[in-house]
Every structure is written in structure tokens, then in C-alpha cells.
Amino acid sequence: MENQVDKADKYIKDMVQALLSVDKMKAKETLAQAREAYQPVEVVEKVIVPSLEQIGEGWRIDKVSLSQVYMSGKICNEILQDIIPRDCIIRERQLTIAIATLEDFHTLGKQIVKGFLHAAGYEIVDYGNGLSVDSLTEHIIKDKIDVLLISVLMLPSALSIKELRKRLKERQAAVTIVVGGAPFNFDDKLYKEVEADYMGKTVSDAINIIHAIETDRGV
Amino acid sequence: MSLRMTPMQRILTTLGHEEPDRVPMFLVFTMHGAKELGLSIKEYFSKPENVAEGQVRVCRKFGNDCVNGYYYAPIEIEAWGGEVIFRDDGPPNSGMPFIKDFEDIRGLVPPDVKDCKCLTKALEAQRLMKEKVGDDIPVIGTVVSPFSLPVMQMGFGKYIELIYEHKELFEHLMRINEDFCVQWANAQFDAGCTAVGYFDPVSSTTIVDKDLYLRTGHNIARRTLSRIKGPTATHFAAGRCYSIIEDVIQTGTAAVGVSVLEDLQMIKNACKGRITVLGNLNGIEMRRWSQEETTAIVKDAIAKAGKGGGFILSDNHGEIPFQVPDDVLLAIGDAVNEWGRYPLKWLDK
């Protein structure tokens, strides 16, 4: 058991180092080695998810930059396809999760969160950028979304989440709203003001929040 | 007690790392002038006369020490033929990036400032501002750095990929953007600007790590700032900069905008006597500050960075959100007038 933990720690260390150096070949080699020791699902849970969580946490404490976070998610998604067979389902059951930028055309946060969650084995419906409250409400109702991730950069976009919540309540949609982006990073109380359920400051928060919602909903 | 200075005297004194009559204050208004004139944001920006009148009015109303000659960030994208999207309650955004593929970069030609209607409109606004305030109040222009402009030119994700994976095209784009940036900054000095803000959020360690900054944004800033014919203030738009502050000083900038995420005192200590520190009020939280909170926050910033000059109280992002109410902005000015009088004797008690 101890050996197993040591081995996983080494893979994580190598993987984090490779990702922060934006060294795709090294990251691929590390995952290939891990694949010899673990099943595909275990590679995701024991190596990829903790590596990405460490990188997300590093951004929070100013040890890792956003460009490294972005490239880490991109590399993981690119090499995952080579390491894990196409027909392999990482998560047998999952909530219906969607992501969007609301009245906002800044897409980096959305791309990063989507990339990380995808690398962690989640299927994410991407509604794109600059959606209006009306159009996002219709998407959520039509697709019966359980969890909506909203990424914003602009304060007015963040404030419009309150109107979205109101519309969803009127339509009796039981969707959990998770928000993230610069305005929320600079104001811890803002997510409550706009009546979101959760706020994530980093991509590792996004993974942890999804886990918490799954536990809460018995998934 | 020192004699009352004009805003220009106050700023020049603090930039010289001496104590003026009181701590200078730059509240960076871009949209509040529209409110003053009762216009929509789009209407406001449609005429240089509106912007000049609106900016001078808000400057006087809130006791600001500069008139902001900055239009809006995507005006530069408009100059390259890109789209600007206006909204009623916030700053204009750039629309779909005009660089769709990496190879598009090879065919890019920087626009000529004098041929761009949007830029000449902004320059005319700056000329009118200068006419209205003369030499008493500095007029501050703005450029987006060559290193940060591609976020709007091609989208953030694609730009990060360009930096890491297409180095030759990245260098090519930087040379083009540098030429444009220098031309645009110098035109603003010609229009009457006293200084120009060099907005470079991508160089912040929030966005790129220090090693990458030293290989990219740092060199680009050194090259660009050396060709700009007046003083510049580098702003990271709420991104962190403490770990690169020595390198930022080496670029030749006169001031640095500091994030609320940083320790203002540490930054001031690092910059003392070399470059002026601007910062670092939280513009997002500012919307709901009470009078008491406002006073406490302003006092705290002055206590951390005020002594010895070389400090301008400002917001941390370089733009006051449209939603910040007048009461808060007036309270900031009141607090600076009460607690920012040099020699800041209250700090010795």
C-alpha cells in the first residue's frame, strides 16, 4: 500500500513538473508509465486530478501563472486521448453539467475550467460565450442541467447572474449555480449577492465543488 | 502646514519622491462622465466633446488629481478593424477576435493612428481636456501594451498557445504591436497628455511566470517604453507584480499600478525613491463600502504607502466600475483630504 502511494506521488510530482514546464512529451511519458501501473480510471483519479489540483492551488498562492494553468489543461486533454482508449468511460454516472460565459466575451476562465474537468473525466456541455440571461435560461430548462458553471470577467456580467437565478426559480429549475472569475476573486461576498450556490477561485475549487455537489445529490 | 498645490504640482512632487501638500488621488473614471451628462455609455463615447466635458466634470466633482484621457480598451481593436460591443452598465468589450488563425499574423499591418477615426476622436477629446484644464491638472492617456493587446486581437487561450508554441509568429506580432503602441502613445503626448498608462496585465505574474515574463513582456516593455516620448505608468490591471518589481523598475517606467492582492507596504518599500506606487483600492468591493469602511481603507493605504511621497492613491484595476456610487467616491476624496495631508503626523502617534 505504501509503495502504491509513493508511486502515485512520484507520478504526480513528475506530471506537475512536466505540465508547468509545458513539456508535453514528458507529461505523456509520465502518463504512459502510470498507465502500466493503473487502470485508465485510476490514472485520471490518482495522477491527473491531483496534479491539476496542485497546479490550481499553485495559482491561488501566486506560485503558478494562469498561462501555465491553461496549458496544463490543454496538454492533459491532448495526451489523455492517446493514453486512454476512446471507448473507456471514466465516470459511469455523473450530473448533467454545463458551462457558459454570461453576457461576457472573455473565454479563458471557461476554457480552463472545462479543460480541467474534462481531463478529470467529466462530460461538460459548453454553451459558449456572451449568452444573454434569456438564452441561457432556455438552454438550462431544455437540457435539464443539474449544475451550471458560469465564468465571467466583467462586474456587470457577474451582477446579471442574479437575474438568471430569478428566471430559473420562476421556471422551477433545480439547477446548482457555480460561479467563478475575477469579480468573485476580488469580492468574497459577491457570489451570495447574486444568489449563486458556490464560488470557485481556482480550477481545483471547480473539481472539489463538483465532488461536493455529487455527494450532496447522492451521485 | 504646506501650501495648497495644484494637482499637477502634487503629482510632480510625488513622482519626484517628495511629499506634496497631500496624497494625490487618481480615481480612474471612464464611464462616470456619461452619468454626469445623462447619456448612455455608447452615446457618451460617440463624440469627443462629450468625453472631454464628462471627464473634466467628474474630475472636479470628486477632487481627482488627473483627468483621464482614456477612452476604452477595445478602441485599439477598433483601430485594427475589430468590433466593439457596448453595453449600458459597463465598459465596452472587444468582439470576435480578428486574428482567426496563427498564420493571419504574417499579413498584419499596424494601423496608422491618423487614419483611424476612433483614435483621432480620442485624441480630439484629449486636446479638448487639455484646453479645459491647462497645466493645472495632468491629462493621462493610455495604451494597451504590445504584449497584452493580443488577448483582444486573437483571444486569450489562442494567444497563450502562440506564446508557447509559435515563437517566431509571436515575435513577429510583437514587433508589429510595438510599432503601433509607440505611434499611439506618442500621438497622445502630442494631443496634450502629461503621461500615458502602459496597461500590461499579461506581464503580471498572475498571468505569466517570472521566467516567461523576463523572456517576453519585460523585453517588450523595455523596447517600447524607450521609444515613447513621455513618462509612463505601468499597470497590471489588478494582476500581481511583487516578484518582478525590480524588473519592472528596469523597464524605465515612472510608476506602477498595484493589485489589492499585494501587500502595498512591501511594494512601496521595494519601489521607494525609484518609482511611484499607484494603488490599491478594491474597485469591486467599493460598490458597497460605507463611509466608515471607506475612511478606514483609505487610511490603511496611506499608512502603508504614503510616507515620503512616491504614492498615488488609486483603484487597483485602473477603472472605477460604473456601479460605484457617488457617495463612496466622495467619501474617498474626503478621507484623502482628512488623512492624506502631509507630513502625515497622525502616523507618528
Side-chain angles (χ1 to χ4, degrees), chain B residues 124-239:
Chain B
E124 177 58 17
Q126 291 172 345
R127 269 187 218 104
L128 293 170
M129 288 173 204
K130 180 71 181 172
E131 246 177 56
K132 285 172 192 275
V133 300
D135 291 330
D136 284 349
I137 306 177
V139 176
I140 309 295
T142 293
V143 293
V144 179
S145 83
F147 187 51
S148 294
L149 190 64
V151 171
M152 293 186 284
Q153 289 175 312
M154 60 194 302
F156 214 150
K158 206 176 182 92
Y159 178 45
I160 292 172
E161 292 167 31
L162 179 83
I163 296 172
Y164 283 109
E165 297 174 346
H166 303 269
K167 288 180 183 156
E168 183 236 325
L169 283 174
F170 166 73
E171 289 298 338
H172 186 67
L173 181 60
M174 290 306 104
R175 297 294 175 171
I176 294 170
N177 283 356
E178 284 170 32
D179 285 346
F180 172 70
C181 182
V182 170
Q183 192 199 152
W184 174 219
N186 288 340
Q188 293 182 60
F189 281 108
D190 291 341
C193 286
T194 319
V196 161
Y198 180 80
F199 268 72
D200 195 14
V202 179
S203 281
S204 147
T205 51
T206 304
I207 307 294
V208 298
D209 59 281
K210 182 174 178 172
D211 287 346
L212 184 55
Y213 164 70
L214 290 175
R215 284 184 276 122
T216 54
H218 177 64
N219 294 329
I220 293 158
R222 284 184 82 133
R223 289 197 300 260
T224 306
L225 299 187
S226 70
R227 294 167 61 199
I228 293 177
K229 62 183 177 186
T232 55
T234 299
H235 211 297
F236 297 105

Side-chain angles (χ1 to χ4, degrees), chain A residues 110-145:
Chain A
K110 176 170 77 69
Q111 283 173 275
I112 289 174
V113 172
K114 184 183 158 192
F116 268 49
L117 289 175
H118 194 250
Y122 289 98
E123 292 298 323
I124 309 289
V125 182
D126 186 349
Y127 288 139
N129 320 315
L131 275 86
S132 65
V133 167
D134 284 346
S135 125
L136 192 51
T137 304
E138 292 309 318
H139 278 302
I140 292 162
I141 301 291
K142 180 173 150 278
D143 296 341
K144 297 185 173 66
I145 296 300

Side-chain angles (χ1 to χ4, degrees), chain A residues 22 59 62 65-68 70-71 74 103 105-106 108 154-157 159 183 186-187 189-190 193, chain B residues 85 87 89 91 93 156-157 161 164-165 205-209 238 240 260 282 284-285 287-288 316 321:
Chain A
V22 195
W59 184 72
D62 199 29
S65 69
L66 204 61
S67 60
Q68 288 171 310
Y70 173 79
M71 290 305 286
K74 181 173 180 279
E103 296 181 357
F105 297 87
H106 299 86
L108 189 70
M154 313 299 291
L155 176 63
S157 312
L159 294 172
F186 286 97
D187 184 350
K189 293 178 185 161
L190 182 58
E193 182 184 333
Chain B
I85 298 165
R87 57 184 299 158
D89 55 358
N93 274 219
F156 214 150
E161 292 167 31
Y164 283 109
E165 297 174 346
T205 51
T206 304
I207 307 294
V208 298
D209 59 281
R240 288 182 165 108
V260 74
N282 186 332
I284 303 292
E285 283 188 352
R287 290 176 305 121
R288 48 182 166 70
N316 90 135

Side-chain angles (χ1 to χ4, degrees), chain A residues 181-195:
Chain A
F184 299 104
N185 291 349
F186 286 97
D187 184 350
D188 286 340
K189 293 178 185 161
L190 182 58
Y191 85 100
K192 286 189 179 160
E193 182 184 333
V194 302
E195 298 179 21

Side-chain angles (χ1 to χ4, degrees), chain B residues 25-81:
Chain B
M25 176 177 79
F26 277 11
L27 294 175
V28 185
F29 300 114
T30 54
M31 301 159 278
H32 282 71
K35 245 186 235 181
E36 284 302 308
L37 300 184
L39 299 172
S40 73
I41 289 172
K42 189 172 183 178
E43 206 178 346
Y44 175 66
F45 284 120
S46 67
K47 289 184 184 162
E49 294 81 8
N50 294 343
V51 177
E53 179 60 25
Q55 293 293 54
V56 171
R57 275 200 207 179
V58 288
C59 168
R60 293 197 166 127
K61 178 174 181 178
F62 298 108
N64 214 16
D65 285 313
C66 72
V67 177
N68 187 22
Y70 166 60
Y71 245 61
Y72 45 79
I75 196 167
E76 297 191 23
I77 291 306
E78 208 174 340
W80 290 75

